[in-house]
Amino acid sequence: RKEVEQDPGPFNVPEGATVAFNCTYSNSASQSFFWYRQDCRKEPKLLMSVYSSGNEDGRFTAQLNRASQYISLLIRDSKLSDSATYLCVVNSVDSSYKLIFGSGTRLLVRP
Amino acid sequence: DADVTQTPRNRITKTGKRIMLECSQTKGHDRMYWYRQDPGLGLRLIYYSFDVKDINKGEISDGYSVSRQAQAKFSLSLESAIPNQTALYFCATSDLTASVSTDTQYFGPGTRLTVL
């Protein structure tokens, strides 16, 4: 079983739609959770950290469910510029400053 | 100027050749990482270094070696390249003073390596 699993997609949605991605992680001892965004052939960039209480940044909302070991990302009012691959990331339990990346969920926002 | 740079950006080489990929950063970060990315597999950690005297193997270090020449420089070498090392390679840095929950890794633009 992969340590971090994501639906690869693609999720194909119209502009203005709300879309949600989930991600599951295998190690209950993981402490830190993140969503990174990666544009085609570009480097990953941090989108947002995910906190236990949930957090919001503009149109983006991240949630953590420790009991079920999943993380979610909700994007409201999708823009064309949101088209990218979204990487779910958790820290490694053998070294907190190592990150384990999911293989990503691809989002396509169409006009 | 970019904070994390990688050279070369693209490289085509032949099986058996020795290749060095270089990473430099101006962010002043102590932690540096090398990853490779393959379609459908996501990013996998090759080596990481938490300071100049610290080198650690990641999950896929076989066939690779690294050198941390200075705080700002971290090089990845393929001693004898093979075709299944064809991938996109990323260098990343993070700040030693960041807490676990807010630790952000900053990535270079990547090196696309093809081994024929």
Side-chain angles (χ1 to χ4, degrees), chain B residues 2 12 21 26 33 42 46 59 63 70 90 94 109 111-113:
Chain B
I12 299 173
L21 309 183
T26 58
Y33 307 80
I46 306 172
E59 60 178 304
F90 287 106
S94 67
T111 295
R112 188 165 296 277
L113 177 66

Side-chain angles (χ1 to χ4, degrees), chain A residues 97, chain B residues 31 94-104:
Chain A
Y97 295 99
Chain B
R31 300 194 200 109
S94 67
D95 185 0
L96 186 65
T97 62
S99 68
V100 169
S101 63
T102 60
D103 189 32
T104 300

Side-chain angles (χ1 to χ4, degrees), chain A residues 2-15:
Chain A
K2 289 183 180 178
E3 292 186 77
V4 179
E5 294 206 59
Q6 298 182 249
D7 181 342
F11 286 64
N12 192 324
V13 302
E15 271 188 291

Side-chain angles (χ1 to χ4, degrees), chain B residues 58-109:
Chain B
E59 60 178 304
I60 54 161
S61 58
D62 287 349
Y64 302 94
S65 62
V66 291
S67 172
R68 184 83 185 265
Q69 302 95 322
Q71 185 204 41
K73 295 185 182 294
F74 193 35
S75 300
L76 176 73
S77 293
L78 288 67
E79 297 302 325
S80 179
I82 56 176
N84 78 358
Q85 291 178 313
T86 293
L88 183 56
Y89 289 85
F90 287 106
C91 172
T93 74
S94 67
D95 185 0
L96 186 65
T97 62
S99 68
V100 169
S101 63
T102 60
D103 189 32
T104 300
Q105 290 193 10
Y106 298 88
F107 286 79

